[in-house]
Amino acid sequence: MNATMDKTEILAWLRETDAARLAELWRRADETRRRQVGDAVHLRGLVEISNFCVRQCGYCGLRAGNTRIARYRMLAGEILEAARQAVKFGYGTVVLQSGEDYGLTTSWLADMIRQLKRETPLAVTLSLGERSDRELAAWRAAGADRYLLRFETSDRHLLDEIHPPLGNRKRDRLAILRRLKVLGYEIGSGIMVGLPGQTYASVANDIELFRKLDLDMIGIGPYIPHPGTPLGSGFQIFPPVNGEQVPNTELMVYKAIALTRLVRPDANIPATTALATINKKNGRELGLQRGANVFMPNLTPLKYRRLYEIYPAKACIAETDVKCHGCLNARVHTIGRHIGQGPGGRRNRESPAGRGSVSRGNPQSNSGDVLARVLQTAEPPRVADPRSDIVRIPQTLEASNHG
Ligand code: SAM
Ligand code: SF4
């Protein structure tokens, strides 16, 4: 059982129910994790900078059609404050995540990244959806180090149904991941496990794809139904897949994490918030003991946190950043692991900026030429009014309008 495991074996493990056999899978995943990435657990401070989104993903509570949430966009000062907190807690990375929000303009965010790189030693990870090559190049040139974009499922038919294209702009997440790599980003991707219509074979394909893509980070979490979405409300239904439907259970997520560790031994794999949501007691610890090596403590100011409701009853929705920090530290130490220092990039990666290193703005590297070329190309036509399908919210909650 190793990186050469084929799809038939992966499929068999996904269907495995025998507790003793599964204990062997957990043991091997944990042993591979220890050998390849060590006992350090890297902490990435998550800042959910905006919950505006132009997309209509059938699974996500932030979808543009959800009129029941108030929308916010954080101010630059608030983001900087959260990043300073990350430094204070000793984190090596800040992750700026949002809906696909074109109110976060290219230049505003580039300025933000430059300021973060000037004022902190943090690696900057972005997770902002399917942005244009030009935007991605501008943010990389400003100093962004990593980009997270899950392909969600490798089943193209299922993805088209639950993640519809934006107008006539068909963008392919795998193609964007390839572009990000050329631009010199460390790239992360991932999936949801247990989506309606998702089969065991499809999850086995996802894991095969993790093996093929040279991913630095791989995020795997359960699909959690949100009643305010077409998928979660039962409005969007998929025909039964004859006993092949993958359950959105904790156990299935652990299997996917463990198998991913075995096929991509040196990847950074988080024990996700979604996993912690379905097992608040010890889902994170079990994730860490079955292949994961990263946590993403939430640094979003409390007043916004409950509004970033991708799915209901999200873990850590009401805890202050100080409390989250203390809680995660304790969880890591209870299982005999320690907190990682520095940015915690993938060890075996030959990054354009150097092995495991973090760029200090204006990356000088092989990818520099590509960046320059992309930045010289004309801005592609914008989607009509990216926010026209978003219901406006009371001004008090919309922290700012960068757009
Ligand atoms: N908008 C960006 C994007 O879609 O890549 C980043 C933010 S999005 C909220 C981050 C991730 O949340 C998605 O990639 C998806 O996997 C996950 N997600 C969304 N809805 C979910 C749900 N109902 N259950 C579990 N995970 C969900
Ligand atoms: Fe928007 Fe991302 Fe949610 Fe899709 S998953 S609706 S792109 S925030």
Side-chain angles (χ1 to χ4, degrees), residues 59-60 97-99 127 129 150 152 173 192 222 224 308 310-311:
Y59 43 85
C60 176
Q97 195 186 76
S98 73
S127 174
R150 290 184 176 184
E152 316 292 6
R173 287 193 164 210
M192 284 174 279
I224 303 176
Y308 201 81
I310 309 171
Y311 44 76

Side-chain angles (χ1 to χ4, degrees), residues 58-349:
Y59 43 85
C60 176
L62 302 191
R63 67 196 303 274
N66 185 4
T67 56
R68 299 221 168 148
I69 47 167
R71 304 284 174 169
Y72 72 89
R73 192 175 291 127
M74 283 174 66
L75 296 165
E78 293 173 322
I79 298 172
L80 280 170
E81 190 44 43
R84 284 189 200 110
Q85 198 65 353
V87 177
K88 204 147 67 182
F89 289 147
Y91 304 164
T93 301
V94 67
V95 181
L96 306 184
Q97 195 186 76
S98 73
E100 201 166 301
D101 176 11
Y102 291 87
L104 298 171
T105 62
T106 318
S107 57
W108 184 86
L109 198 71
D111 287 346
M112 180 78 249
I113 294 164
R114 272 190 287 271
Q115 205 168 344
L116 284 170
K117 299 303 283 189
R118 249 194 331 267
E119 295 185 17
T120 76
L122 296 168
V124 174
T125 300
L126 305 177
S127 174
L128 310 172
E130 300 172 31
R131 308 296 295 243
S132 72
D133 283 359
R134 203 179 144 85
E135 290 170 305
L136 299 173
W139 298 333
R140 174 72 187 136
D145 300 281
R146 307 178 180 138
Y147 204 97
L148 303 179
L149 190 71
R150 290 184 176 184
F151 59 77
E152 316 292 6
T153 166
S154 56
D155 179 337
R156 295 309 293 248
H157 175 68
L158 177 59
L159 189 67
D160 286 349
E161 294 287 328
I162 63 176
H163 178 82
L166 193 58
N168 57 6
R169 199 183 61 148
K170 207 166 172 116
R171 295 211 89 207
D172 172 348
R173 287 193 164 210
L174 293 178
I176 298 174
L177 285 168
R178 283 191 290 273
R179 294 294 293 156
L180 285 163
K181 193 146 198 89
V182 173
L183 292 171
Y185 282 95
E186 278 190 42
I187 53 169
S189 193
I191 57 165
M192 284 174 279
V193 173
L195 287 161
Q198 189 182 37
T199 61
Y200 286 94
S202 150
V203 175
N205 286 336
D206 296 341
I207 294 171
E208 280 279 285
L209 195 52
F210 289 150
R211 189 211 312 266
K212 284 182 202 136
L213 299 171
D214 186 23
L215 296 172
D216 302 297
M217 292 152 287
I218 303 174
I220 299 166
Y223 159 66
I224 303 176
H226 186 305
T229 62
L231 217 52
S233 65
F235 182 78
Q236 194 176 21
I237 303 173
F238 288 87
V241 281
N242 298 332
E244 289 299 307
Q245 170 68 51
V246 167
N248 60 341
T249 56
E250 210 186 322
L251 181 64
M252 196 51 65
V253 174
Y254 297 137
K255 288 184 196 175
I257 289 177
L259 292 165
T260 300
R261 172 60 67 201
L262 293 175
V263 302
R264 294 288 334 179
D266 67 343
N268 280 314
I269 302 179
T272 57
T273 307
L275 179 57
T277 298
I278 59 170
N279 176 355
K280 291 197 169 76
K281 187 164 167 263
N282 64 348
R284 284 196 180 96
E285 289 88 326
L286 289 173
L288 286 182
Q289 290 171 316
R290 294 170 179 184
N293 69 321
V294 170
F295 268 168
M296 292 174 70
N298 199 323
L299 293 178
T300 311
L302 272 186
K303 66 177 172 179
Y304 300 129
R305 221 183 283 181
R306 71 182 172 79
L307 300 176
Y308 201 81
E309 197 196 50
I310 309 171
Y311 44 76
K314 213 163 112 192
C316 308
I317 205 84
E319 285 79 13
T320 60
D321 47 9
V322 175
K323 199 161 171 216
C324 263
H325 176 65
C327 163
L328 290 185
N329 257 287
R331 287 173 190 268
V332 168
H333 288 113
T334 326
I335 58 167
R337 306 266 282 275
H338 61 269
I339 302 293
Q341 300 298 312
R346 180 155 65 108
R347 273 191 192 172
N348 298 337
R349 176 178 194 266

Side-chain angles (χ1 to χ4, degrees), residues 54 102-103 166-169 380-390:
V54 295
Y102 291 87
L166 193 58
N168 57 6
R169 199 183 61 148
R382 273 278 166 81
V383 182
D385 172 1
R387 283 177 295 163
S388 58
D389 50 356
I390 287 179

Side-chain angles (χ1 to χ4, degrees), residues 23-65:
E24 180 59 11
L25 177 64
W26 312 146
R27 193 194 63 73
R28 293 195 190 182
D30 198 40
E31 164 60 19
T32 305
R33 185 271 312 151
R34 197 187 54 70
R35 216 173 343 100
Q36 294 283 334
V37 295
D39 281 338
V41 175
H42 293 285
L43 302 180
R44 325 271 203 221
L46 176 67
V47 189
E48 296 152 334
I49 62 175
S50 160
N51 72 350
F52 279 94
C53 189
V54 295
R55 293 257 163 198
Q56 294 287 11
C57 302
Y59 43 85
C60 176
L62 302 191
R63 67 196 303 274

